[in-house]
Amino acid sequence: MHWPTTLTTAHLVMRPWREDDAPALYRYASNPEVGPCAGWAPHQSQDESRQVLNDILMVPDSWAITLRGREGVLADEPVGAIALQHDLTGLPADEAEIGYWIARPWWGHGYMTEAVREVLRHAFLVENLAAVRASYFEGNEGSRRVQEKVGLRPHHHVDSAVDRCGITHTEHVQRITRKEWEVSLAADPTDAGTIARQQSEAAGIIDRLPLISLVRSGGQTGADRGGLDAAREQNVPICGWCPPGGLAEDLPEPPGLLALYPELREGPSQGYVERTAWNVRDSHATLIVSPGGLEPRSGTEMTAIFAERMGRPVLVLEGANVSEDAAEALAWLRSLGTCAMTLNVAGPRESKMPGVYQLTHDIVASILRQS
């Protein structure tokens, strides 16, 4: 056993208990939700808390948990307890049992898991223990989850364990050996250096991702195909939902437009409405190229309505200037704060708006080249 040194993590400082901790201990340990689930009765007075400090907490391998820089918490104020117990009946000399609790306001914040993980590191690297155990009473799901997150696994259970309040429980005992801890640490490192390297690697991956990774469309003549063809030329993968048989106005017989765009998938419903909805649904954003605005009651207007109803970002380009429209669309896409997005491209058929194919093609090509 060791008189505790201070242990520090990203959000916590775990330090030795002091006699002046009695008011804070009483404030949190008097909550009836805290003690009983761990097997001890709520504190009834500061005098009782002071006695617990002297008899139970101010001992070797026992730490007060404090929060680092958390608003609403006094600096250095204990909000929980954690300890390694070495002298329990039946416990081998090279093992210890870890016990812990944290104040009700801080349940569900991950602090207890962080504290237990650090005390395990201390147990294995500083005290050179062979194994550490922990237990929880049947129904204490919070404690069970903490133990599982740090790698403890079922060891045995006691059907009629009596707690300090005289209440009988089923007690589940879990255990982790030093070797198991080392393996789990290698698989999921938690040291500051490794985390920093992982964060740097993640940032690098994000920086290398394109703004647009997929261009989606239904494949109709006009704007749809302009977007798909521009993406192909820029080596950006394409996808999309189309009607059964690859139906399009210029390709009414199967395989229809699937012969031109085998990357597309057939939807189950006849006509264009369902595939229009699904292409909006399965994209991060929808770009509509429709010079002069949306034709009322058209499929293009329906696309915009689907996007609005589904909460998908949508931009309608109503002009016919490639450079200006591409710049507007690119700025809009970047403002969404998303990378590697699937962009749905839509607009009128070529028969309704001659020239919309080339306009859409050139706008999308310009966007992809610059993103």
Side-chain angles (χ1 to χ4, degrees):
M1 291 188 292
H2 298 69
W3 282 99
T5 56
T6 297
L7 306 177
T8 302
T9 68
H11 303 101
L12 309 174
V13 174
M14 291 173 280
R15 58 160 176 81
W17 287 93
R18 304 188 301 257
E19 289 188 4
D20 62 0
D21 290 328
L25 176 60
Y26 172 67
R27 179 162 55 254
Y28 294 123
S30 60
N31 188 315
E33 293 187 71
V34 175
C37 61
W40 46 270
H43 292 194
Q44 299 301 309
S45 66
Q46 281 196 35
D47 287 340
E48 181 183 355
S49 295
R50 191 171 293 107
Q51 191 68 38
V52 169
L53 275 171
N54 290 320
D55 296 346
I56 298 175
L57 297 179
M58 293 173 60
V59 297
D61 284 346
S62 175
W63 294 268
I65 300 172
T66 71
L67 304 182
R68 299 178 63 184
R70 177 78 193 221
E71 288 187 16
V73 181
L74 296 175
D76 201 40
E77 176 186 63
V79 297
I82 189 165
L84 286 170
Q85 299 169 288
H86 299 261
D87 53 357
L88 301 179
T89 303
L91 198 64
D94 59 354
E95 296 189 19
E97 179 163 318
I98 192 168
Y100 51 84
W101 63 267
I102 195 164
R104 181 64 181 88
W106 309 117
W107 291 5
H109 290 260
Y111 295 141
M112 202 69 260
T113 301
E114 188 173 330
V116 173
R117 186 173 281 128
E118 178 61 18
V119 171
L120 284 177
R121 185 199 65 80
H122 175 85
F124 290 126
L125 296 186
V126 177
E127 300 195 14
N128 200 32
L129 295 179
V132 173
R133 302 185 187 191
S135 64
Y136 66 92
F137 294 134
E138 185 83 39
N140 190 345
E141 290 300 298
S143 188
R144 179 186 63 80
R145 286 193 296 270
V146 166
Q147 294 172 25
E148 290 181 351
K149 286 178 183 177
V150 300
L152 279 83
R153 294 296 177 261
H155 186 263
H156 69 276
H157 70 275
V158 181
D159 288 326
S160 299
V162 180
D163 65 21
R164 297 177 188 173
C165 302
I167 299 174
T168 301
H169 306 265
T170 297
E171 182 179 25
H172 297 271
V173 180
Q174 307 212 97
R175 182 174 181 265
I176 185 171
T177 66
R178 180 189 176 103
K179 184 174 182 179
E180 290 169 340
W181 176 78
E182 290 173 343
V183 169
S184 67
L185 192 66
D188 186 19
T190 57
D191 62 281
T194 300
I195 291 174
R197 288 192 297 273
Q198 290 174 338
Q199 293 296 314
S200 176
E201 181 181 359
I205 291 173
I206 292 172
D207 288 342
R208 293 191 297 272
L209 288 174
L211 179 63
I212 299 167
S213 62
L214 279 169
V215 170
R216 175 180 289 278
S217 179
Q220 186 55 271
T221 61
D224 287 19
R225 291 188 200 173
L228 294 176
D229 290 347
R232 274 184 171 172
E233 293 168 12
Q234 298 300 318
N235 295 313
V236 175
I238 63 174
C239 60
W241 292 101
C242 66
L247 175 67
E249 67 172 349
D250 61 336
L251 298 167
E253 300 297 327
L257 58 85
L258 291 170
L260 301 177
Y261 306 101
E263 299 93 336
L264 273 57
R265 296 176 59 189
E266 297 175 76
S269 298
Q270 298 295 325
Y272 301 105
V273 175
E274 183 179 69
R275 64 87 166 160
T276 299
W278 286 13
N279 283 325
V280 171
R281 178 198 66 186
D282 295 342
S283 301
H284 294 94
T286 291
L287 176 66
I288 298 174
V289 179
S290 186
L294 301 176
E295 179 187 352
R297 306 180 69 84
S298 66
T300 304
E301 183 189 56
M302 188 184 302
T303 302
I305 293 171
F306 280 138
E308 292 168 0
R309 296 290 177 85
M310 295 182 190
R312 303 293 194 273
V314 59
L315 175 67
V316 180
L317 296 176
E318 299 183 357
N321 184 299
V322 172
S323 59
E324 291 180 1
D325 288 346
E328 180 184 353
L330 188 60
W332 169 70
L333 289 166
R334 287 172 174 164
S335 74
L336 300 179
T338 302
C339 58
M341 72 174 71
T342 297
L343 177 65
N344 182 38
V345 177
R349 304 178 186 185
E350 191 70 13
S351 60
K352 284 191 172 184
M353 189 172 290
V356 73
Y357 167 86
Q358 193 63 50
L359 177 64
T360 305
H361 171 280
D362 293 347
I363 290 172
V364 173
S366 179
I367 292 169
L368 295 177
R369 282 195 299 268
Q370 297 179 70
S371 62

